[in-house]
């Protein structure tokens, strides 16, 4: 267990508590025996118990593994994640193929590729996905103003 | 006799042209996935699952299973040629496989890996054919309480074996089970935990969760890492140079058999996984060898045993999945989820109600193993050349496949937001060492466990002692409790043996 597990355990504890509270609002028993809230209620309790053990164990036996861990969110990772969020956000506006081409170009540029490489791979990826999924497999993907 | 006629019927199904084609596609994709770093079995099967919705379920399962066991063949290629395992189960192959490559024996190392995989895969299937129907007969006498207890035991075993910390695995299992309660309640039709989001009324698809945790999570953890082109050994395209010598084959006969036995037994256990079977096999090979000092320096048995074990493991993992409806890993959980998505009820009745699917699938695994042997010997140089593709070009495409796969399930943008959420969660799980597979298992098994639990409560008119008054369910519950108590008991005995030593 690492020092981070203390906080993760507390987070899971709170989550379990929330589940128990929400499950209590549902029927605990019904004419069928157990109600809608029975199973999630006990799962919430199990989460609280497990989270408590994780937290207590991490508190009693902290290890310094965290200090040698790599930086969790580098700028590159954050930018890549933002690009993914942007892709989903603009999906209905741009359509899948156009949005995906933009995403590929952005990610390749982020990885240090030249504009020429990034744009040509992005175009090829967009066209390839359109031909394979939309034309060949008839997968219904969001369509943008350009018709694909 | 009954088994033999069923198997023959299975071969009739597996040898249909469409099934042969999709088996070939499955094993080829599996090999490629096994070779390429950054995408694993579970992710590959879940990404491609939505594309199979319009297929016949038997054909679809043949293809998905092909991906599942095909990855095991591909994983050894990178271990031997670049000292980087494509799959976690091939980590141990790096030790002697790479040493063989350094000594100019990359070809025979790849050859023996393919042959061991083929032999173990084929022998493992015999185990599946014998044990599967037997286990089904036992399980047919199970009622809802026994099923509930069985699934609880399955999840507990997974938690016990899945990660370094059992508590962390239990936490992710509980999370998966909780996710399965989102949406319509199967008994009363009432909505749970949807918070007025109509997209959540059908629940959270396991495709979204598995793809997010395993594929997007892996991509996020690799973004920004320097991805210099891998240096690898040249592999001859001549088949003669890939074949091991007769002496090599004679040296490895015992390794093939031991690897198969270890892999199959470990595969049957829920949660043990291929990595454990290959490491266990390596240890056994070293112990059985008359020259243990050669291990780590290019011993061919160090490749043959583990590679056999991680392939026999796939046949073993199919035993509880097909006969009990109990998956033991993320990969088999997705396969079981696929069955549910096709409208097929998993469990012991599967062998009776879906003989075409079950026996067709088993027979296709024989066919697939032959295809993999043929693919993996002469085409190894071609597959290996894929490693020259830098990861920075690969991961945007992997993300594209994830988005298409998830979106095509329900045409819902909410699923894409959830995909990113579970991607971030999967990445954090990796960083903080929380196992993801139990979460997918919990999500897939959740509705089945809840149904068994509530049916049991109906039977007992609300009395929970029904689980401890029936002998089979009581025994299974006792095993689960022992598994839960095992880490505490082990720590206690260790302290007693070594007074003064802190745990």
């Amino acid at each position: 267990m690492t020092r981070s597990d203390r906080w993760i355990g507390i987070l899971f504890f709170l989550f379990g508590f929330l589940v128990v509270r929400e499950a209590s609002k549902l029927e605990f028993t019904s004419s069928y025996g157990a109600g809608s809230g029975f199973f999630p209620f006990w799962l919430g309790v199990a989460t609280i118990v497990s989270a408590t053990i994780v937290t207590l164990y991490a508190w009693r036996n902290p290890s310094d593994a965290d200090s040698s861990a790599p930086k969790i969110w580098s700028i590159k990772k954050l930018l890549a994640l933002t690009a993914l969020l942007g892709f989903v956000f603009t999906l209905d506006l741009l359509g899948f193929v156009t949005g995906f081409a933009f995403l590929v170009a952005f990610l390749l540029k982020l990885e240090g590729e030249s504009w020429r490489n990034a744009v040509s791979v992005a175009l090829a990826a967009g066209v390839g996905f359109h031909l394979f999924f939309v034309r060949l497999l008839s997968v219904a993907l969001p369509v943008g103003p350009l018709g694909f | 006799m009954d088994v033999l006629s069923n198997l023959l019927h299975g071969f009739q199904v597996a040898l249909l042209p469409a099934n042969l084609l999709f088996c070939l596609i499955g094993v080829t994709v599996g090999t490629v996935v096994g070779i390429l770093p950054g995408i694993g079995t579970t992710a590959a099967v879940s990404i491609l699952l939505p594309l199979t919705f319009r297929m016949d379920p038997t054909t679809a399962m043949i293809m998905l299973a092909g991906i599942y066991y095909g990855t095991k063949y591909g994983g050894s290629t990178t271990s031997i040629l670049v000292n980087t395992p494509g799959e976690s189960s091939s980590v141990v192959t790096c030790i002697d496989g790479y040493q063989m490559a350094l000594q100019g024996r990359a070809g025979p190392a790849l050859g023996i890996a393919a042959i061991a995989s083929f032999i173990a895969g084929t022998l493992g299937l015999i185990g599946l054919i014998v044990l599967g129907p037997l286990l089904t007969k036992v399980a047919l006498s199970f009622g809802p309480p026994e099923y509930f207890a069985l699934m609880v035991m399955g999840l507990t075993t997974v938690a016990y074996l899945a990660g370094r910390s059992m508590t962390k695995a239990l936490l992710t299992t509980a999370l998966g089970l909780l996710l399965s309660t989102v949406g319509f309640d199967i008994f009363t039709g009432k909505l749970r935990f949807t918070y007025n989001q109509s997209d959540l009324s059908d629940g959270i698809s396991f495709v979204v969760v598995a793809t997010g945790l395993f594929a997007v999570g892996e991509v996020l953890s690799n973004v920004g890492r320097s991805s210099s082109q891998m240096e690898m050994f040249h592999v001859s395209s001549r088949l003669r140079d890939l074949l091991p010598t007769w002496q090599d084959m004679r040296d490895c006969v015992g390794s093939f058999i031991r690897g198969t036995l270890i892999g199959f037994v470990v595969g049957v256990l829920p949660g043990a996984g291929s990595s454990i079977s290959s490491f266990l096999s390596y240890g056994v090979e070293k112990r059985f060898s008359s020259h243990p000092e050669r291990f780590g320096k290019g011993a061919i048995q160090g490749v043959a045993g583990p590679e056999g074990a991680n392939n026999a493991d796939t046949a073993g993992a199919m035993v509880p999945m097909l006969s009990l409806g109990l998956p033991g890993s993320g990969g088999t959980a997705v396969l079981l989820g696929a069955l549910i998505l096709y409208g097929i009820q998993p469990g012991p009745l599967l062998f009776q109600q879906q003989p075409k699917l079950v026996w067709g699938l088993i027979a296709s695994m024989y066919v697939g193993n032959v295809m993999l042997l043929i693919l993996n010997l002469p085409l190894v140089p071609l597959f290996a050349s894929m490693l020259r593709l830098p990861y920075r070009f690969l991961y945007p495409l992997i993300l594209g496949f994830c988005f298409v796969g998830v979106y095509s399930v329900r045409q819902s943008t909410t699923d894409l937001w959830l995909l990113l959420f579970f991607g971030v969660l999967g990445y954090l799980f990796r960083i903080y060492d929380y196992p993801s597979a139990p979460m997918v298992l919990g999500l897939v098994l959740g509705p089945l466990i809840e149904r068994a639990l509530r049916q049991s409560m109906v039977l007992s008119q609300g009395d929970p002692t029904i689980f401890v008054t029936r002998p089979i369910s009581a025994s299974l519950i006792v095993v689960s409790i022992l598994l839960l108590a095992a880490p505490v008991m082990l720590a206690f005995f260790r302290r007693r043996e070594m007074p003064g030593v802190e745990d």
Side-chain angles (χ1 to χ4, degrees):
Chain A
M1 297 280 177
T2 62
R3 287 177 200 281
S4 321
D5 286 317
R6 295 174 186 178
W7 305 108
I8 296 170
I10 291 171
L11 261 177
F12 274 121
F13 180 91
L14 292 174
F15 176 73
F17 186 76
L18 192 76
V19 170
V20 167
R21 206 190 70 173
E22 291 296 302
S24 306
K25 293 177 187 167
L26 299 164
E27 256 184 338
F28 195 73
T29 52
S30 72
S31 50
Y32 299 105
S36 312
F38 185 84
F39 190 55
F41 176 86
W42 287 111
L43 286 176
V45 172
T47 307
I48 290 174
V49 172
S50 309
T52 308
I53 296 171
V54 168
T55 312
L56 290 179
Y57 197 82
W59 225 284
R60 273 192 61 193
N61 307 291
S63 88
D64 288 328
D66 282 9
S67 55
S68 60
K71 204 175 169 186
I72 297 171
W73 291 109
S74 63
I75 297 288
K76 252 187 190 177
K77 277 194 211 304
L78 279 175
L79 284 173
L81 185 62
T82 312
L84 294 178
L85 293 168
F87 167 73
V88 178
F89 191 72
T90 56
L91 193 64
D92 292 326
L93 189 77
L94 294 176
F96 186 90
V97 174
T98 314
F100 181 57
F102 276 119
L103 176 71
V104 173
F106 180 83
L107 292 175
L108 286 175
K109 200 67 202 117
L110 193 67
E111 293 287 349
E113 279 299 315
S114 65
W115 274 113
R116 201 183 66 171
N117 275 1
V119 172
S120 49
V121 173
L123 283 175
V127 172
F129 267 63
H130 179 73
L131 290 177
F132 185 70
F133 290 110
V134 182
R135 291 291 169 92
L136 187 70
L137 298 178
S138 308
V139 175
L141 294 173
V143 176
L146 298 174
F148 49 81
Chain B
M1 200 60 207
D2 195 29
V3 168
L4 203 63
S5 62
N6 279 326
L7 190 62
L8 281 175
H9 175 61
F11 272 106
Q12 284 174 350
V13 175
L15 293 173
L16 288 172
N19 291 343
L20 276 176
L21 174 69
F22 282 100
C23 184
L24 180 66
I25 293 173
V27 295
T28 310
V29 171
T31 307
V32 172
V33 166
I35 288 172
L36 295 175
I39 181 162
T41 318
T42 312
V45 177
S46 31
I47 291 168
L48 293 176
L49 170 62
L51 303 178
T52 64
F53 286 164
R54 289 185 203 168
M55 285 184 192
D56 169 61
T58 308
T59 309
M61 284 305 290
I62 285 173
M63 189 183 91
L64 295 176
I67 299 171
Y68 175 60
Y69 57 83
T71 51
K72 304 293 168 75
Y73 275 76
S76 58
T77 307
T78 47
S79 296
I80 293 165
L81 295 182
V82 287
N83 203 20
T84 307
E87 288 289 308
S88 58
S89 56
S90 300
V91 170
V92 79
T93 309
C94 290
I95 304 171
D96 282 289
Y98 187 66
Q99 286 300 321
M100 283 181 74
L102 285 174
Q103 292 159 18
R105 300 197 72 212
L110 289 165
I112 205 78
I115 292 167
S117 301
F118 172 75
I119 292 173
T122 312
L123 291 178
L125 283 171
I126 297 173
L128 168 61
I129 289 166
V130 174
L131 207 59
L134 264 177
L135 213 56
T136 300
K137 275 185 191 154
V138 176
L140 278 172
S141 61
F142 283 15
E146 285 78 17
Y147 265 117
F148 173 75
L150 178 74
M151 283 186 273
V152 168
M153 192 195 77
L155 287 179
T156 319
T157 318
V158 169
Y160 184 67
L161 296 168
R164 270 184 284 183
S165 160
M166 187 178 180
T167 333
K168 287 182 177 182
L170 281 173
L171 254 181
T172 55
T173 308
L175 266 184
L177 288 168
L178 272 170
L179 287 176
S180 77
T181 62
V182 174
F184 278 112
D185 172 17
I186 42 171
F187 272 69
T188 59
K190 284 180 186 164
L191 285 170
R192 294 187 294 192
F193 310 119
T194 55
Y195 302 101
N196 299 323
Q197 294 290 314
S198 57
D199 282 346
L200 291 178
S201 56
D202 284 335
I204 296 173
S205 166
F206 74 92
V207 175
V208 177
V209 178
T211 311
L213 289 175
F214 290 98
V216 181
E218 177 73 30
V219 165
L220 281 176
S221 63
N222 286 320
V223 166
R225 277 191 193 168
S226 59
S227 56
S228 56
Q229 198 168 304
M230 293 178 180
E231 287 294 325
M232 69 173 143
F233 292 95
H234 169 74
V235 189
S236 168
S237 54
R238 286 193 313 174
L239 187 62
R240 201 193 313 159
D241 297 336
L242 288 167
L243 289 177
T245 61
W246 280 114
Q247 185 58 44
D248 289 336
M249 291 297 284
R250 269 198 296 273
D251 289 345
C252 291
V253 170
S255 313
F256 294 147
I257 295 164
R258 286 187 291 271
T260 305
L261 283 172
I262 292 168
F264 186 79
V265 172
V266 172
V268 174
L269 295 175
S274 305
S275 310
I276 292 180
S277 66
S278 53
F279 271 99
L280 205 61
S281 165
Y282 188 80
V284 169
E285 285 312 312
K286 199 172 174 182
R287 179 135 325 161
F288 267 83
S289 173
S290 48
H291 296 287
E293 72 283 355
R294 284 189 195 159
F295 279 73
K297 293 171 189 159
I300 198 161
Q301 296 93 333
V303 177
E307 278 303 310
N310 77 38
N311 276 271
D313 165 275
T314 55
M318 288 281 179
V319 174
M321 192 203 97
L322 291 175
S323 54
L324 304 173
L326 187 69
S329 64
T332 44
V334 175
L335 288 178
L336 189 89
L339 278 179
I340 297 169
L341 280 179
Y342 302 139
I344 294 164
Q345 178 70 34
L349 289 173
L350 196 68
F351 271 85
Q352 283 180 6
Q353 290 175 346
Q354 301 287 341
K356 182 189 151 202
L357 186 144
V358 174
W359 292 102
L361 178 64
I362 293 172
S364 81
M365 288 171 78
Y366 276 110
V367 178
N369 270 303
V370 176
M371 285 177 176
L372 281 164
L373 185 68
I374 296 168
L375 276 175
N376 274 269
L377 282 178
L379 296 184
V380 154
L382 179 73
F383 284 128
S385 65
M386 274 184 234
L387 288 169
R388 295 199 173 91
L389 182 70
Y391 186 70
R392 62 179 180 278
F393 285 107
L394 199 63
Y395 82 78
L397 300 181
I398 294 173
L399 287 170
F401 279 109
C402 295
F403 284 127
V404 174
V406 164
Y407 188 82
S408 59
V409 178
R410 294 192 284 212
Q411 277 80 45
S412 155
T413 317
T414 309
D415 279 350
L416 295 183
W417 289 115
L418 285 172
L419 172 75
L420 294 183
F421 171 77
F422 286 109
V424 173
L425 194 66
Y427 170 59
L428 293 174
F429 275 2
R430 247 162 249 262
I431 297 281
Y432 294 112
D433 202 19
Y434 283 73
S436 299
M439 189 161 161
V440 179
L441 242 70
L443 179 59
V444 172
L445 287 182
L448 306 176
I449 293 183
E450 188 176 12
R451 183 182 296 147
L453 170 71
R454 290 168 75 176
Q455 281 173 341
S456 308
M457 297 294 269
V458 173
L459 279 175
S460 68
Q461 295 171 327
D463 181 8
T465 57
I466 188 169
F467 299 109
V468 287
T469 49
R470 295 165 66 125
I472 296 175
S473 68
S475 319
L476 294 169
I477 297 268
V478 167
V479 174
S480 307
I481 293 169
L482 285 176
L483 282 170
L484 284 173
V488 182
M489 280 156 51
L490 284 174
F492 175 75
F493 287 123
R494 224 174 279 152
R495 272 188 200 157
R496 272 188 60 176
E497 277 173 19
M498 293 182 284
V501 177
E502 283 289 313
D503 181 32

